[in-house]
Amino acid sequence: MTPVVEIETLERTFHVGPLAVHALRGVSLRIMPGETVAIDGPSGSGKSTLLNLLGLLDRPDAGTYRLDGRDLAGLDDDERTVIRNRTIGFVFQSSPMLPRLTAEENIAVPLVYRGERPYRARRAARRMLGRLGLETFARHRPHQLSGGQLQRVAIARALVGQPRLILADEPTASLDPRTAAETMRHVREHCRATGAVLVLISHDLADHAATDRRYVIDAGRLQPADHVATAP
Ligand SMILES: Nc1ncnc2c1ncn2[C@@H]1O[C@H](COP(=O)(O)OP(=O)(O)OP(=O)(O)O)[C@@H](O)[C@H]1O
Ligand SMILES: [Mg+2]
């Protein structure tokens, strides 16, 4: 089986004046179809840098990145944008919605961009809302939704396009524990069912318990969380 994500000795250094900030120092990771991975780490450890590289929002200074077996090194920006739109779903801490569109329409947007017919896109959006327990809110506009509801709409929007890779930066931070657990369960089931993989940045131990593998990143180095000494 080909890994969905395969990165090897990825490095990213930022230059700020005379200073070189080594945000990632040789990060390697392989994620097989259907797997979910959680990453934790202190502020400034490189979590967002890694997510940006995985999401094709940034380029590494060294190392390789294969997505579904395809080496991404030689691609130009347009090719990367196409891959990003077709194969990657993002959920950020706060995911902006188009304010004049309903929840259902917001979720349908990425599909319509991709050339799906509007009525089919809306049908898929409604189905995804139903799966996340939000069918009642299909016609609500963003300002008529709570923070937690909005966040779940954002998750629905990330899943609806059947991405191969779902990148999430603290997606459950604004949810109560029960809704967070429910939402994570849906995302994990979605991954199992479609072969998509999830890379989740989270400080929440419950999120970590809900994923297949756990990692910690510290000062730009990634290692399995089980190898990190923790207090009993
Ligand atoms: N565009 C940039 N220019 C310069 N330095 C950067 C840039 N982006 C990140 N850095 C530096 O790289 C390091 C890693 O940053 P990153 O944003 O990946 O941390 P993080 O783990 O996401 O932290 P947080 O939990 O606070 O979001 C930090 O030292 C940061 O200052
Ligand atoms: Mg960050």
Side-chain angles (χ1 to χ4, degrees), residues 14-16 21 23 41-50 203 217:
F14 296 106
H15 298 277
V16 186
V21 180
S43 181
S45 57
K47 301 183 296 295
S48 296
T49 304
L50 178 58
H203 304 303
I217 188 166

Side-chain angles (χ1 to χ4, degrees), residues 106-125:
N106 266 288
I107 295 168
V109 163
L111 293 178
V112 174
Y113 266 137
R114 214 189 274 181
E116 190 69 85
R117 296 202 182 150
Y119 80 94
R120 292 176 64 120
R122 291 175 66 143
R123 197 172 58 195

Side-chain angles (χ1 to χ4, degrees), residues 11 31 45 52 140 183 186:
E11 303 202 5
I31 314 175
S45 57
N52 289 342
H140 287 223
T183 305
H186 284 295

Side-chain angles (χ1 to χ4, degrees), residues 91 97 107 128-129 132-134 137 146-159 171 174-176 179-180 182-183 186:
V91 191
M97 296 283 153
I107 295 168
M128 193 54 78
L129 276 169
L132 290 169
L134 292 166
F137 305 106
S146 74
Q149 288 160 351
L150 271 175
Q151 193 58 354
R152 279 182 289 159
V153 171
I155 290 167
R157 186 177 58 183
L159 299 183
S174 58
L175 303 179
D176 65 90
T179 312
E182 267 290 287
T183 305
H186 284 295

Side-chain angles (χ1 to χ4, degrees), residues 135-195:
E135 55 273 88
T136 333
F137 305 106
R139 308 210 166 240
H140 287 223
R141 292 180 204 286
H143 74 272
Q144 297 166 324
L145 294 169
S146 74
Q149 288 160 351
L150 271 175
Q151 193 58 354
R152 279 182 289 159
V153 171
I155 290 167
R157 186 177 58 183
L159 299 183
V160 77
Q162 302 287 343
R164 295 290 293 157
L165 170 60
I166 301 156
L167 298 174
D169 200 345
E170 298 211 54
T172 60
S174 58
L175 303 179
D176 65 90
R178 208 182 66 192
T179 312
E182 267 290 287
T183 305
M184 278 303 300
R185 193 170 63 74
H186 284 295
V187 175
R188 195 171 54 169
E189 273 171 15
H190 182 90
C191 289
R192 293 258 162 86
T194 65

